[in-house]
Amino acid sequence: LCLLLMFKLRAIVLLVLVCFRGEAFAVQKKAVERPRPMLLHSSYTAWTSDNQLNVSAVPLLARQAAKMGVNTVFVCGSMAGFDTMSVDERLELAEAWLEIGPAYDLYIIVNVGTTVVSEAKLLAEHAALHGAAAIATVPPYYTRTTDLTILVNWLREVASGAPDLPLFYYHLPGVTGVDIAVADLLQASEDAGFDQLSKNGGVKYVGSDNQDFLNCANWVAADLGKRGGVSVLYAPEPKLQGFPLQTPYAGAVLAEDFYAPTLLRMRAAYDAGNAPGMIAEQNWKQGQAEPVFSTYGGACAKRKVYLKFCGADLGPDRSPNPRFDESKYDDLVADLDAIGFWDQAPPECAPLPG
């Protein structure tokens, strides 16, 4: 009985929190219309030196994203460390992005995914109240299912927290362990009348099954009148391999916004039939920029570039992620400068990796 009361009390507290943050459910803010194609940036989260949430960096990050050419921001995703955040922290971070995003014409997708459905619904409701353009969720990743009927019903329940918003399915099988054919999920959603996904939603496709991605693209293209509102966004590397798999082109998952310029040039080269130019851009990213970041620790080094780009100190990442060696900052800046990273100059002849 005590345990039941505790869970009920927790749900009430969370509901009250959403009410206050939503100004007692007053007026829902208007979201930015979906761009086509979408250039999606998964934002990092800024932490203080003692690993507390620091939303003061969000306006700087939003301005930088727009400056790089990004038109879509994925908030509270994997790169943001949503799995390390409390519900209250996720509400605060989402609210900060939703407050500033429209000023830069950014389409904001808020990831509400968690294994606790009641919390996901609260996060979704809060996102809708504060003007999110869409919500997203991972599948249940502890008690997993590959049964599409069960999964569609689970997604529908999560999305019911924001019934008027599109839902993006966050396909991340390498992390969630849920490796399904997403094309089959889209069809199952349509068959079930789950329009938030199958008619107006989308997929953040972070899997490696190109055939499944092609099937998703073909599924959309087969009935654009009915499914044209669905955006299936390609994330794997090399990015250029996703271009010929999708017509009409929905866009791409950049991950980091500082790769937007090279992706835009890569796509322009593809559209112009300039294969050498397209390959040079891909080689610059994978053969020059990424090795520099790998030398300095990977993601923790990528977080540091925002200090020079826009003055945003993101602080050390939360455990168990590694911390950047601050004594190497000047070396990181110099090595990135040597490959034209800071001015994003188009590479004339980027060498092949290795």
Side-chain angles (χ1 to χ4, degrees):
L1 181 60
C2 290
L3 187 61
L4 179 61
L5 288 173
M6 183 179 71
F7 279 119
K8 286 186 176 180
L9 179 61
R10 184 167 184 256
I12 291 171
V13 169
L14 288 172
L15 183 58
V16 170
L17 180 62
V18 172
C19 287
F20 276 112
R21 289 185 178 276
E23 298 176 356
F25 298 47
V27 179
Q28 182 171 335
K29 296 179 181 178
K30 183 176 176 59
V32 172
E33 291 187 9
R34 185 178 304 185
R36 299 183 187 278
M38 302 172 75
L39 205 57
L40 186 148
H41 162 53
S42 300
S43 60
Y44 286 113
T45 298
W47 312 107
T48 62
S49 59
D50 58 350
N51 265 177
Q52 299 303 303
L53 182 64
N54 176 18
V55 296
S56 67
V58 170
L60 295 173
L61 295 175
R63 182 177 63 185
Q64 179 63 23
K67 179 181 177 181
M68 290 286 97
V70 164
N71 57 28
T72 303
V73 177
F74 194 80
V75 177
C76 293
S78 299
M79 286 169 49
F82 82 91
D83 55 312
T84 72
M85 300 170 70
S86 68
V87 170
D88 190 29
E89 287 175 324
R90 293 177 70 174
L91 292 171
E92 186 178 357
L93 182 60
E95 197 168 318
W97 273 100
L98 293 169
E99 180 67 28
I100 194 65
Y104 295 101
D105 205 26
L106 295 171
Y107 185 90
I108 305 293
I109 304 172
V110 177
N111 173 37
V112 303
T114 170
T115 57
V116 183
V117 173
S118 61
E119 292 181 355
K121 290 171 67 176
L122 283 168
L123 289 164
E125 182 176 11
H126 174 269
L129 286 168
H130 287 272
I135 57 172
T137 185
V138 289
Y141 54 82
Y142 191 83
T143 303
R144 304 179 183 92
T145 183
T146 55
D147 184 302
L148 294 181
T149 299
I150 293 174
L151 184 54
V152 168
N153 289 335
W154 188 90
L155 294 171
R156 189 198 298 269
E157 186 174 1
V158 168
S160 70
D164 296 326
L165 292 188
L167 174 73
F168 278 71
Y169 178 71
Y170 191 2
H171 183 55
L172 189 67
V175 175
T176 64
V178 180
D179 196 1
I180 60 169
V182 180
D184 292 344
L185 174 65
L186 291 172
Q187 183 61 58
S189 297
E190 183 177 86
D191 292 343
F194 182 32
D195 290 351
Q196 282 177 270
L197 175 58
S198 66
K199 186 175 180 180
N200 304 313
V203 180
K204 185 182 178 186
Y205 200 101
V206 196
S208 58
D209 187 343
N210 279 349
Q211 182 61 58
D212 181 41
F213 179 83
L214 175 60
N215 291 343
C216 291
N218 287 340
W219 181 85
V220 173
D223 192 346
L224 288 175
K226 186 176 183 180
R227 304 165 180 164
V230 178
S231 301
V232 184
L233 306 178
Y234 190 82
E237 295 291 349
K239 289 280 190 283
L240 57 78
Q241 68 184 342
F243 293 159
L245 297 178
Q246 186 178 54
T247 300
Y249 179 54
V253 177
L254 290 167
E256 300 88 354
D257 55 359
F258 48 72
Y259 283 135
T262 195
L263 189 285
L264 289 168
R265 293 192 299 264
M266 192 188 307
R267 179 68 200 194
Y270 173 80
D271 290 338
N274 178 8
M278 178 177 64
I279 293 170
E281 293 292 346
Q282 184 71 67
N283 288 343
W284 176 82
K285 177 183 179 182
Q286 296 302 118
Q288 294 192 39
E290 282 295 298
V292 171
F293 286 120
S294 294
T295 297
Y296 292 95
C300 66
K302 291 178 177 181
R303 291 172 56 86
K304 293 301 296 185
V305 304
Y306 292 95
L307 186 59
K308 179 173 173 60
F309 264 140
C310 62
D313 186 353
L314 303 191
D317 208 352
R318 279 184 168 171
S319 179
N321 294 313
R323 295 194 171 201
F324 180 74
D325 182 350
E326 297 293 341
S327 70
K328 302 293 186 183
Y329 178 72
D330 289 342
D331 293 336
L332 170 65
V333 170
D335 285 354
L336 288 173
D337 187 53
I339 63 167
F341 179 83
W342 301 113
D343 56 14
Q344 292 285 291
E348 295 180 3
C349 186
L352 290 168

